[in-house]
Amino acid sequence: MGSENSSEETKNRAKKLATQIGSYHMNISIDMAVKAVLGIFSTVTGFFPKFKVRGGSARENLALQNVQARIRMVLSYLFAQLTLWVRDRPGGLLVLGSANVDEALRGYMTKYDCSSADVNPIGGISKTDLKAFLQFAADNYGLSSLTGILSAPPTAELEPLNEGRLAQTDE
């Protein structure tokens, strides 16, 4: 799920991977939901938080990043519960998380974000082992999209882009 802070490169990598593994891909923007939540906050307080690069404080910057991460999880559960209903199919879907063990051990995560999923397949795997596994899968299963993912800078893309390019990296 992207936002105005997501690069085209990241969106393209996600779509390419979904195509290669035969997954249904939806390009969902969280911007309307983020604006709605911030609108409620502003109505109640009379204040509108800003990113640091736009003159905001570190506290505002972190809150704006965290609200995006949390809204992604809320929307993930909404789509997991209703996507099969929309397609007139039985059953339910599980929400997959993407937090790895290094993030959990360091406390580098947002409460109620991707760490709150139904299943977290990489939750017990270190970044080093995960990268080795992705390279193995790229080499042995013809998933060329993984090469692009491996070479991409690590980022949650929760801060504004700088002329369409990443301004935030997580390492």
Side-chain angles (χ1 to χ4, degrees):
M1 288 184 203
S3 73
E4 62 189 21
N5 302 319
S6 301
S7 68
E8 286 304 313
E9 293 86 1
T10 295
K11 292 176 191 176
N12 291 335
R13 283 190 294 270
K15 186 174 182 177
K16 185 176 179 182
L17 176 60
T19 299
Q20 287 184 347
I21 64 173
S23 176
Y24 185 80
H25 178 73
M26 291 187 275
N27 186 15
I28 301 168
S29 172
I30 65 170
D31 292 333
M32 277 196 318
V34 171
K35 284 177 178 50
V37 169
L38 294 176
I40 294 168
F41 177 82
S42 296
T43 299
V44 172
T45 65
F47 289 86
F48 198 90
K50 296 181 281 193
F51 283 102
K52 198 171 187 179
V53 297
R54 296 184 180 146
S57 66
R59 180 180 292 191
E60 293 169 86
N61 201 64
L62 184 59
L64 289 171
Q65 291 178 64
N66 287 342
V67 75
Q68 292 173 82
R70 291 175 178 132
I71 283 174
R72 282 181 181 157
M73 187 51 59
V74 169
L75 289 174
S76 293
Y77 275 99
L78 177 67
F79 277 85
Q81 289 179 314
L82 295 179
T83 296
L84 294 179
W85 169 71
V86 168
R87 296 182 188 161
D88 197 29
R89 294 183 61 190
L93 300 173
L94 295 174
V95 173
L96 296 179
S98 61
N100 61 61
V101 74
D102 294 327
E103 293 168 342
L105 290 173
R106 289 180 176 85
Y108 183 75
M109 56 190 230
T110 298
K111 200 172 186 181
Y112 307 117
D113 71 341
C114 66
S115 60
S116 301
D118 294 319
V119 180
N120 190 3
I122 63 171
I125 303 173
S126 71
K127 284 185 181 183
T128 302
D129 289 342
L130 179 58
K131 288 176 182 178
F133 174 76
L134 292 177
Q135 189 62 60
F136 175 85
D139 295 342
N140 293 283
Y141 295 103
L143 299 173
S144 61
S145 60
L146 295 177
T147 304
I149 291 169
L150 282 165
S151 65
T155 178
E157 294 190 348
L158 298 173
E159 291 187 39
L161 299 171
N162 184 3
E163 297 179 10
R165 310 233 9 93
L166 288 178
Q168 170 196 21
T169 56
D170 294 341
E171 288 182 352

